[in-house]
Amino acid sequence: MKKQHTPVLDEKAQAIVEFDVEDILVDHGQLIAAWMPAIESVARHHVSDDRFQAFMIAALRLGAASGGLRGVNVVNIVEKAGYSRATFFRMFEGHTSFMLKGYQLVCVLSLEVYRELLESREMSIEEFCRFTCNVFYGAICTWPNELIQMLWQEHGASQREFHPHLPQLAKIMESYLKVNPATAHLKVEIDDLEGVIQTLDWDILRAKTDPAEEFPTIKQYWRLRRILQGYLQTLA
């Protein structure tokens, strides 16, 4: 039986939607403060294993408190989660394996937050693209570059293996576009939409994992938004 779930859409959660780079990238601390309660809320509903949920939330809170990887170690994670080291190592091969699984799970949970935030909204193509880019660029900005670089070096065999949630994102977007009055006429092909999402995601992933690249940037945000909007407008 699924746990009862009440969506988190308070004033803090509005910062998820209102992420804006018109003049300057939003404050990292504000994004963390907005995303944490939303992710914890959907985790309690969608993560059936209470131990995994406790370990994941503990790591997220430690990371938010330190602003990076400082303090996000096994000792601190198990202490904050309230479980033993033995339980941790029975569930995970080690620290980096846990961090990868936790990161990928949070990516999936961010889709559930996105799905909830989409509910009952009617948007034009331009508004939908702004909304979608705001939510996901903001979400990606909450992850320290050093963490993504470490996980990619350890486990980044391919983009599809590293980010297996992308097909699910394409389905959520397609479902919304089909019922939203201003976009219902679009002839969206799920494979094409997924391809666009993969391209946008790779642009961000490359920027976060390559030390020679810069992330985040206003220029990159606008590039992603123009590409998504351009794709959808070609279908109009």
Side-chain angles (χ1 to χ4, degrees), residues 73-129:
N73 54 54
V74 174
V75 172
N76 291 340
I77 290 171
V78 298
E79 180 180 354
K80 196 168 188 65
Y83 288 94
S84 67
R85 286 171 57 92
T87 299
F88 180 91
F89 285 108
R90 278 198 300 269
M91 295 182 65
F92 311 105
E93 295 176 6
H95 180 255
T96 59
S97 175
F98 161 73
M99 294 297 285
L100 176 66
K101 290 178 181 179
Y103 166 68
Q104 291 177 332
L105 176 59
V106 172
C107 288
V108 171
L109 295 177
S110 71
L111 301 187
E112 295 303 320
V113 175
Y114 175 63
R115 193 200 305 271
E116 288 184 359
L117 292 170
L118 277 176
E119 289 181 0
S120 303
R121 292 175 184 265
E122 293 186 7
M123 294 182 280
S124 66
I125 290 176
E126 182 178 359
E127 290 169 337
F128 171 77
C129 293

Side-chain angles (χ1 to χ4, degrees), residues 148 152 159 162-163 201-209:
I148 305 304
W152 180 254
Q159 180 193 14
F162 195 68
H163 282 170
D201 177 75
W202 177 249
D203 197 61
I204 294 173
L205 185 59
R206 179 178 53 81
K208 286 187 75 72
T209 56

Side-chain angles (χ1 to χ4, degrees), residues 111 114 128-129 132-133 136 140 159-160 163-175 177 188-206 223-224 227-229 231-232:
L111 301 187
Y114 175 63
F128 171 77
C129 293
T132 297
C133 288
F136 285 105
I140 293 162
Q159 180 193 14
R160 285 185 175 272
H163 282 170
H165 63 284
L166 298 181
Q168 185 178 344
L169 172 57
K171 291 177 182 177
I172 292 172
M173 292 172 65
E174 180 199 30
S175 296
L177 293 168
V188 178
E189 295 289 341
I190 189 65
D191 290 343
D192 291 342
L193 179 57
E194 185 178 332
V196 172
I197 293 170
Q198 294 275 359
T199 298
L200 300 181
D201 177 75
W202 177 249
D203 197 61
I204 294 173
L205 185 59
R206 179 178 53 81
R223 178 176 180 273
L224 300 175
I227 290 174
L228 179 60
Q229 187 169 329
Y231 162 71
L232 293 177

Side-chain angles (χ1 to χ4, degrees), residues 15 19-21 24-35 138 141-142:
F19 177 87
D20 202 343
V21 294
I24 189 169
L25 291 172
V26 77
D27 179 77
H28 181 263
Q30 291 178 345
L31 278 174
I32 292 288
W35 273 99
C141 285
T142 66

